[in-house]
Amino acid sequence: MMFLSSALVFASALLPLAQLQPAASQSAAPKAQRALLELYHVAGNVTDDRLGYALALLEDLDGDGTPEILVGLPNRDPHYAQKGHAWVVSGATGAVLRVHDGTNGGDRFGRAVAMYPDLDHDGVAEYAVGATWALDPPNGNGASYPGTATIFSGATGAQYMVLAGYVANECFGGGLAGLNDVNGDGQGDFVVGSRYGGNIGGIEVTAPGKVRTFSGLTNQVIGEISGSFPGDFLAGEATIAMGDLDADGAIDVASGAWGYPNNTAKGQVFLISTAKNAVLRTMEGEAAGDHFGWSLAMLPDVDGDSVPDVMVGAPWWGVDDRGRAYIYSSATGALLRTFTGSNPNEHLGYSVGSVGDQDGDGVADWAVGAPFYFSETGRAVIISGATDAVLANVSGSATGERFGYAFLEVPDLNADGKPEIAIGATGWPAGQSMGRMTVFATH
């Protein structure tokens, strides 16, 4: 069964983003069209795998010159529900190279994935997989369900280290980001987030989330930022590396607190200086229930100040959950762009991403996902970074597919000078939710 037809035609509709048209309207699109070509796909093989929930680019691990892809399957296990797996797949072909398993039912191993620095000094970067509800890990400080972040050797795939949360039910491992040398000891460092960073009396919403920076040399915490309100879920869904935002040489991070304040889900985003262990600036959602900060993406410099900018999703924005995505200046916090969904209950902004220069104008383009569009068929909207024109408006193939759940920019595979786009569809096929990740080229 094909995920999408091998050569999709989509509209190059020059419409205001507040009027994004549903994918079903493609037949009435302007004549100017592009093709979205499937290069390969990777599918789950167990019901409720939900492959494609989380995606990360790794180094070239098999020596073919193409970086690999780390894919999360956080619900996977035929016997223990939501034990979870993570696969390393070939970036060139999609072949499964490595399989990593969760330990217990309910671990949700694979809910977050990321490339980490080279911690074992063998010349190959490591990678990490989060299991936010991991049960009683050996080094879990005696806490029940603290969550874990497991780091694997990039060179061999062997387990390098397991870090665990500090208190019960803190969902440690929900946000992962690799850094450069933050503290000047010559070793790259990394970040792990916890949605419930220090719950009181086992009640999760009694404390804010936490973003912890770890030394890659000692594996100890060297910085910690807490959310501003209990129940804010800081680092609950999205924590990403942002590049150097404050010109101190260290890679900084963005982290979303979609429950802010007090579990009302207006939402908040922190831009965090990792070297200074300080919040550089804060952005907030428009209204309670928006879930602002649910998704995040680093964009190349949008406003010409030589600093990377940030894209933020608020997928429950609006009284009918159309969803909205925003682009902010990381240097000033100024709002630069706004994209609004055009269909009730589609949750535009559930995923966001930078997808490279797809239209050949020298400016990086963006992707916004609405996986609940049209009875959860889902859609992905590709937007020109130069003009805000809608370059692509592509829906999934069947009800329940949740196409557009996650995005990843993949290096050029077909030698056309443009990066490819990996798109997750966690509900594929309808009724089974094995999940699918498809890598596309645009033409």
Side-chain angles (χ1 to χ4, degrees), residues 24-36:
S25 69
Q26 292 179 48
S27 60
K31 292 181 180 179
Q33 295 181 343
R34 298 173 183 273
L36 188 62

Side-chain angles (χ1 to χ4, degrees), residues 292-306:
F292 178 88
W294 181 271
S295 61
L296 297 170
M298 183 193 76
L299 304 181
D301 180 21
V302 174
D303 55 0
D305 61 6
S306 300

Side-chain angles (χ1 to χ4, degrees), residues 53-133:
Y53 188 101
L55 306 173
L57 198 67
L58 305 180
E59 289 190 354
D60 174 18
L61 304 181
D62 60 2
D64 65 359
T66 302
E68 321 310 347
I69 301 174
L70 181 60
V71 185
L73 303 79
N75 282 29
R76 184 175 212 254
D77 194 279
H79 304 295
Y80 302 100
Q82 298 177 334
K83 174 182 176 181
H85 287 199
W87 290 356
V88 176
V89 304
S90 165
T93 67
V96 178
L97 303 178
R98 298 173 183 172
V99 174
H100 301 293
D101 300 338
T103 304
N104 300 290
D107 278 3
R108 295 176 175 85
F109 183 86
R111 202 170 188 278
V113 295
M115 181 166 68
Y116 270 14
D118 177 14
L119 302 177
D120 57 7
H121 304 287
D122 63 1
V124 182
E126 322 318 342
Y127 53 90
V129 180
T132 51
W133 289 102

Side-chain angles (χ1 to χ4, degrees), residues 14-361:
L14 304 182
L15 296 171
L17 291 170
Q19 300 174 10
L20 286 173
Q21 295 300 302
S25 69
Q26 292 179 48
S27 60
K31 292 181 180 179
Q33 295 181 343
R34 298 173 183 273
L36 188 62
L37 304 177
E38 177 181 328
L39 300 181
Y40 65 80
H41 61 258
V42 181
N45 52 24
V46 174
T47 296
D48 212 30
D49 267 359
R50 299 191 186 275
L51 183 145
Y53 188 101
L55 306 173
L57 198 67
L58 305 180
E59 289 190 354
D60 174 18
L61 304 181
D62 60 2
D64 65 359
T66 302
E68 321 310 347
I69 301 174
L70 181 60
V71 185
L73 303 79
N75 282 29
R76 184 175 212 254
D77 194 279
H79 304 295
Y80 302 100
Q82 298 177 334
K83 174 182 176 181
H85 287 199
W87 290 356
V88 176
V89 304
S90 165
T93 67
V96 178
L97 303 178
R98 298 173 183 172
V99 174
H100 301 293
D101 300 338
T103 304
N104 300 290
D107 278 3
R108 295 176 175 85
F109 183 86
R111 202 170 188 278
V113 295
M115 181 166 68
Y116 270 14
D118 177 14
L119 302 177
D120 57 7
H121 304 287
D122 63 1
V124 182
E126 322 318 342
Y127 53 90
V129 180
T132 51
W133 289 102
L135 168 67
D136 299 329
N139 57 344
N141 306 305
S144 179
Y145 295 101
T148 59
T150 302
I151 303 174
F152 296 93
S153 165
T156 68
Q159 182 176 296
Y160 175 75
M161 180 195 334
V162 180
L163 296 172
Y166 298 84
V167 298
N169 307 325
E170 74 167 89
C171 284
F172 184 88
L176 306 172
L179 308 176
N180 61 353
D181 180 13
V182 166
N183 60 350
D185 62 5
Q187 172 66 58
D189 304 310
F190 56 89
V191 161
V192 182
S194 297
R195 181 193 308 178
Y196 310 118
N199 65 75
I200 300 170
I203 303 172
E204 292 87 349
V205 297
T206 57
K210 291 185 185 294
V211 176
R212 297 184 177 98
T213 301
F214 286 81
S215 164
L217 186 64
T218 68
N219 307 320
Q220 300 300 307
V221 176
I222 56 175
E224 181 176 290
I225 297 292
S226 293
S228 51
F229 275 84
D232 66 358
F233 301 162
L234 180 71
E237 296 298 330
T239 298
I240 62 169
M242 281 292 300
D244 184 6
L245 302 181
D246 54 0
D248 61 4
I251 293 175
D252 301 311
V253 299
S255 189
W258 58 265
Y260 163 91
N262 295 311
N263 202 23
T264 61
K266 178 181 181 182
Q268 187 178 58
V269 171
F270 286 173
L271 298 183
I272 299 169
S273 169
T274 54
K276 298 179 178 66
N277 193 40
V279 177
L280 297 172
R281 56 194 50 84
T282 303
M283 290 81 75
E284 293 188 9
E286 297 181 59
D290 282 0
H291 290 66
F292 178 88
W294 181 271
S295 61
L296 297 170
M298 183 193 76
L299 304 181
D301 180 21
V302 174
D303 55 0
D305 61 6
S306 300
V307 180
D309 297 308
V310 63
M311 193 172 198
V312 183
W316 279 264
W317 177 90
V319 294
D320 54 5
D321 296 337
R322 291 172 184 257
R324 183 171 269 185
Y326 311 78
I327 294 177
Y328 290 89
S329 166
S330 294
T332 67
L335 179 61
L336 304 176
R337 307 278 208 288
T338 302
F339 313 136
T340 301
S342 53
N343 303 282
N345 304 306
E346 71 171 331
H347 298 284
L348 188 87
Y350 198 94
S351 58
V352 294
S354 177
V355 294
D357 180 13
Q358 296 296 324
D359 54 4
D361 62 3

